[in-house]
Amino acid sequence: MALRTVWKNGAVCETLFHPSEHHRIMDRLDEWRVFVEVANRQSFAATARALRRSPQAITRAIAALEQRIGTRLLHRTTRSVSLTDDGIGYLERARRAVAELDALEQPAAVVPRGTVAITAPILFGQLHVVPLAAELLAAHAAIDLRLVLADRVLPLADESLDLGVRIGALPDSALRARLVGHVRSVIVASPGYLARAGTPRKPETLAHHAAIAFTATTPIANRWAFRDPGRARGRSVAVHPRLVVDTGQAAIDAALLGVGLVRVFSYQVDALVAAKRLRIVLRDHEGPPVPVHLVQLAGIPTRSATLVADFLAPRLARRLGAAST
């Protein structure tokens, strides 16, 4: 059994107790609560009604408290109850102890604080998470963030991460997930490359093109999956990857330099497509929208992690909804 103490700096201290010691501590806290109620109401009977106990139980609690601390706290007569001098001095400390206990039992009374660690894909984090992080930090002075951007899946537990943005279907796992939106997977190339090598009209023609394989969108570098409008199931075609990279920015930079065709997520190249620096090809063969989830470990999260997740989830949903229109 452990008693958890939360210090002013947010640190949590755990002290181990034998079960019998735990019961003794709880009994003492109960005695303080009974004493404060009797002092406030100046009546054993009124305290018994308020706490839904028998008058005998109230009497025993006060007697046990006085016996333990070795002094009389209350004058009792058949008509009245009043504090002794020792009782007057003890009452304020007992009130503080009961108030602190009640505060600790109220989640809203504990201000979320500390560092929350988040992981996200690099470009997604730069475009969407960083602006929201700035907004959150301005609104919550007691919260700090650690943002880990990587174009690979980082295990939350192994990397000491509280939250993660995952793009793509989630495998069965113990993670708690919130769907916050969808993105599209597109194939793009520079106008210069397409002028030189031609524009592919069917997936099969990709075998004659140079490809850039980005491991997040094309995990099998030399075979890319496609939706076939005439078939219930998709298919995969062979490609020739001239370059394999593990970050979206490197893949996009290579495409801008005319290395070849690359499959990326739409949000990563929307601005470049609008500026005509890249062109989308094979639109009719795009796959279904790709889900985006905000994930965290199963179990009871810290209050700070819950605050950050509740802050990010609806705002990411709005941003992704706007980005998809």
Side-chain angles (χ1 to χ4, degrees), residues 47-118:
T47 297
R49 288 192 295 271
L51 298 181
R52 297 182 180 181
R53 303 185 193 180
S54 67
Q56 293 81 1
I58 301 302
T59 299
R60 285 196 297 271
I62 295 299
L65 175 60
E66 291 177 330
Q67 177 68 30
R68 183 164 52 79
I69 65 176
T71 188
R72 180 174 291 277
L73 300 174
L74 297 167
H75 292 301
R76 289 93 112 176
T77 70
T78 56
R79 295 185 178 182
S80 66
V81 175
S82 60
L83 290 165
T84 65
D85 289 341
D86 287 343
I88 292 171
Y90 194 80
L91 176 60
E92 184 56 34
R93 287 179 291 165
R95 279 177 173 159
R96 287 200 301 270
V98 171
E100 285 292 329
L101 176 64
D102 290 340
L104 287 174
E105 292 294 314
Q106 296 297 322
V110 180
V111 177
R113 65 178 62 249
T115 300
V116 176
I118 310 167

Side-chain angles (χ1 to χ4, degrees), residues 184-188 214 217 248 251-252 262-266 268-269:
R184 294 162 38 235
S185 174
V186 296
I187 295 177
V188 297
F214 170 34
T217 54
I252 293 165
V262 66
R263 172 173 271 169
V264 291
F265 293 117
S266 53
Q268 298 174 316
V269 293

Side-chain angles (χ1 to χ4, degrees), residues 101-299:
L101 176 64
D102 290 340
L104 287 174
E105 292 294 314
Q106 296 297 322
V110 180
V111 177
R113 65 178 62 249
T115 300
V116 176
I118 310 167
T119 182
I122 296 173
L123 283 175
F124 188 95
Q126 292 170 347
L127 291 171
H128 296 298
V129 181
V130 169
L132 293 180
E135 185 180 338
L136 184 146
L137 293 172
H140 298 280
I143 298 292
D144 298 322
L145 297 177
R146 179 168 66 92
L147 184 55
V148 182
L149 300 181
D151 283 335
R152 67 185 189 281
V153 175
L154 298 178
L156 300 189
D158 293 348
E159 301 289 337
S160 299
L161 297 164
D162 298 289
L163 302 169
V165 175
R166 297 283 169 82
I167 300 177
L170 292 177
D172 292 337
S173 71
L175 294 176
R176 298 166 54 198
R178 301 192 212 187
L179 180 66
V180 295
H182 293 82
V183 295
R184 294 162 38 235
S185 174
V186 296
I187 295 177
V188 297
S190 69
Y193 172 83
L194 295 175
R196 183 175 74 251
T199 299
R201 305 297 178 185
K202 296 180 180 180
E204 292 82 0
T205 61
L206 292 182
H208 307 294
H209 282 269
I212 304 161
F214 170 34
T215 53
T217 54
T218 52
I220 301 175
N222 62 352
R223 295 199 69 86
W224 292 3
F226 288 90
R227 180 178 62 87
D228 191 329
R231 300 181 184 180
R233 299 181 63 183
R235 55 182 169 147
S236 65
V237 300
V239 299
H240 179 199
R242 298 293 310 280
L243 177 65
V244 179
V245 298
D246 64 355
T247 71
Q249 190 60 62
I252 293 165
D253 288 344
L256 289 168
L257 293 170
V259 172
L261 297 153
V262 66
R263 172 173 271 169
V264 291
F265 293 117
S266 53
Y267 73 88
Q268 298 174 316
V269 293
D270 281 342
L272 294 170
V273 171
K276 301 187 185 303
R277 297 184 63 195
L278 292 174
R279 284 173 48 195
I280 297 176
V281 300
L282 298 171
R283 283 183 182 273
D284 292 340
H285 297 273
E286 288 180 9
V290 180
V292 181
H293 291 90
L294 184 65
V295 301
Q296 60 190 123
L297 294 174

